[in-house]
Amino acid sequence: KQEVTQIPAALSVPEGENLVLNCSFTDSAIYNLQWFRQDPGKGLTSLLLIQSSQREQTSGRLNASLDKSSGRSTLYIAASQPGDSATYLCAVNAGNNRKLIWGLGTSLAVNP
Amino acid sequence: SAVISQKPSRDICQRGTSLTIQCQVDSQVTMMFWYRQQPGQSLTLIATANQGSEATYESGFVIDKFPISRPNLTFSTLTVSNMSPEDSSIYLCSAQNPPGNEQFFGPGTRLTVL
């Protein structure tokens, strides 16, 4: 059974720092992996989608990597800003029904 | 990408009543889903909304409690029936086109049941 774990559960950093959020999954037979951002009480914003054949995807200050063999993905945020404060969720698309399996998220606070 | 809107954005309801949440996508999509996110938790899939047929429910969710409609490729509704305080959650609609590709979410409906 696929399980997704995100570490750390919470992170607080000063503005300007580069940081890494981690996502691990137990079954490497995935179709793709998606990173989302969720602001308090709001819906989810898709940040990056990495297909199983890809190693990384970049969007602005965000870079997501995927290592299927080790069951890991990282989300790298460069030069963090207070506006990056949110919960970041990782979801794996796996199995015949292609449903998303979710991690519990990393709550990020970037302090001015 | 798909832009998804939901109505209402929030509501406060009395125990025993029902609420219908609407989800509108700005383009035709293959797959639409309904999720629940309880306070402090991650997302739980309620069901896949199938166009023109009955929704496919996940374990622990039943049609009598969460009836779903999907009359076309851009619209779906979720009804939360006979509500209790335990139904207080954020309900999220999502779309995916085609299956397995990037999934997009609506802004969510924050439901409080008194």
Side-chain angles (χ1 to χ4, degrees), chain B residues 1-5 24-29 94-97 102-106:
Chain B
S1 67
V3 177
I4 303 174
S5 59
Q24 180 73 55
V25 189
D26 70 341
S27 59
Q28 293 186 345
V29 291
S94 74
Q96 190 176 51
N97 196 20
E102 193 169 4
Q103 194 164 132
F104 297 94
F105 282 79

Side-chain angles (χ1 to χ4, degrees), chain B residues 9 21 27-28 32 45 49 55 63 73 80 83-84 88 95 103:
Chain B
S9 59
I21 303 168
S27 59
Q28 293 186 345
M32 292 183 74
L45 180 63
I63 188 170
L73 293 176
V80 186
M83 288 183 285
S84 67
S88 297
Q103 194 164 132

Side-chain angles (χ1 to χ4, degrees), chain B residues 29-47:
Chain B
V29 291
T30 306
M31 310 285 285
M32 292 183 74
F33 305 93
W34 286 98
Y35 288 86
R36 180 174 74 182
Q37 187 178 30
Q38 293 178 304
Q41 304 291 317
S42 191
L43 280 73
T44 302
L45 180 63
I46 297 172

Side-chain angles (χ1 to χ4, degrees), chain A residues 4 23 32-36 89-93 100-103:
Chain A
V4 178
C23 173
N32 59 43
L33 184 146
Q34 201 166 346
W35 283 93
F36 295 88
L89 292 159
C90 163
V92 167
N93 193 317
L100 291 181
I101 310 298
W102 295 85

Side-chain angles (χ1 to χ4, degrees), chain A residues 26-67:
Chain A
T26 54
D27 188 343
S28 63
I30 66 170
Y31 190 75
N32 59 43
L33 184 146
Q34 201 166 346
W35 283 93
F36 295 88
R37 167 188 173 138
Q38 186 174 30
D39 293 281
K42 301 293 178 68
L44 278 69
T45 300
S46 177
L47 297 174
L48 289 164
L49 170 72
I50 310 179
Q51 302 293 348
S52 62
S53 58
Q54 296 175 322
R55 290 280 187 143
E56 65 177 348
Q57 284 286 334
T58 298
S59 175
R61 293 182 295 109
L62 305 179
N63 175 277
S65 68
L66 175 64
D67 183 344

Side-chain angles (χ1 to χ4, degrees), chain B residues 48-74:
Chain B
T48 302
N50 300 309
Q51 191 259 329
S53 65
E54 189 172 293
T56 304
Y57 289 85
E58 296 301 303
S59 176
F61 297 96
V62 295
I63 188 170
D64 290 347
K65 175 67 175 177
F66 297 101
I68 288 171
S69 78
R70 190 178 173 193
N72 56 50
L73 293 176
T74 63

